[in-house]
């Protein structure tokens, strides 16, 4: 069971890497039009200008590398925790998840982006529950 939890956490972390890389390059592609239409409808009462649309797409594209790097760091910490059992890793990961989820969900909810808040809840549960149950192979001395 521990190997399954470990692999799941690595898969979710690597999924963040892949999603971040795709987001960086796909933000200006037509495949993301539905998502951006959702964003525009949530925060504006009238259709946005082309300049605003380009700016928002660029900002979302710039967010992609942040998501990708977070996934890499998450994977590295999960590997270190699993192999060595450093006691500070698990609380640090939970603190990072809490800061991200609470702030991102609060901001999303404030601006009516409830889909983001729901996805955050799903994402944090997919990470926190397995992380809670994960045990190291060896205890740190």
């Amino acid at each position: 069971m521990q190997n399954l939890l470990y692999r799941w956490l690595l898969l979710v972390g690597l999924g963040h890497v892949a999603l971040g890389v795709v987001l960086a390059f796909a933000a200006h592609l037509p495949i993301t039009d539905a998502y951006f239409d959702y964003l525009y409808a949530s925060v504006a009462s009238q259709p946005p200008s082309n300049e605003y649309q380009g700016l928002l797409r660029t900002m979302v594209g710039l967010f992609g590398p942040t998501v990708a790097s977070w996934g890499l760091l998450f994977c590295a910490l999960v590997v270190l925790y699993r192999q060595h059992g450093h006691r500070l890793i698990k609380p640090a990961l939970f603190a990072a998840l809490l800061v991200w989820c609470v702030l991102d969900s609060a901001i999303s909810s404030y601006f009516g982006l409830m889909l983001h808040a729901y996805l955050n809840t799903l994402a944090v549960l997919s990470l926190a529950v397995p992380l809670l149950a994960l045990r190291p192979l060896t205890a740190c001395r």
Side-chain angles (χ1 to χ4, degrees):
M1 181 65 165
Q2 288 295 306
N3 283 334
L4 181 63
L5 294 171
Y6 176 66
R7 289 183 181 142
W8 170 256
L9 290 168
L10 291 179
L11 179 68
V12 174
L14 292 174
H16 276 80
V17 174
L19 179 66
V21 170
V22 167
L23 192 57
F25 292 104
H28 288 278
L29 297 178
I31 194 169
T32 59
D33 286 348
Y35 173 70
F36 284 101
D37 290 343
Y38 165 73
L39 285 180
Y40 302 143
S42 297
V43 298
S45 58
Q46 57 187 353
S49 68
N50 286 340
E51 182 180 24
Y52 178 78
Q53 289 181 29
L55 177 62
L56 182 60
R57 286 178 181 261
T58 299
M59 295 305 293
V60 169
L62 288 172
F63 182 62
T66 302
V67 172
S69 66
W70 184 92
L72 283 174
L73 290 171
F74 179 82
C75 287
L77 288 173
V78 166
V79 168
L80 287 173
Y81 177 75
R82 180 77 170 139
Q83 290 179 355
H84 303 290
H86 296 291
R87 289 178 290 193
L88 291 178
I89 292 175
K90 209 181 230 191
L93 285 171
F94 279 116
L97 289 172
L98 186 65
V99 167
W100 156 72
C101 189
V102 170
L103 290 176
D104 194 280
S105 296
I107 293 167
S108 295
S109 298
Y110 178 80
F111 287 103
L113 299 167
M114 296 310 295
L115 178 62
H116 283 184
Y118 298 142
L119 289 174
N120 288 345
T121 302
L122 181 65
V124 80
L125 288 175
S126 75
L127 291 165
V129 173
L131 184 60
L132 184 64
L134 186 67
R135 300 287 173 245
L137 292 173
T138 60
C140 186
R141 294 178 190 166

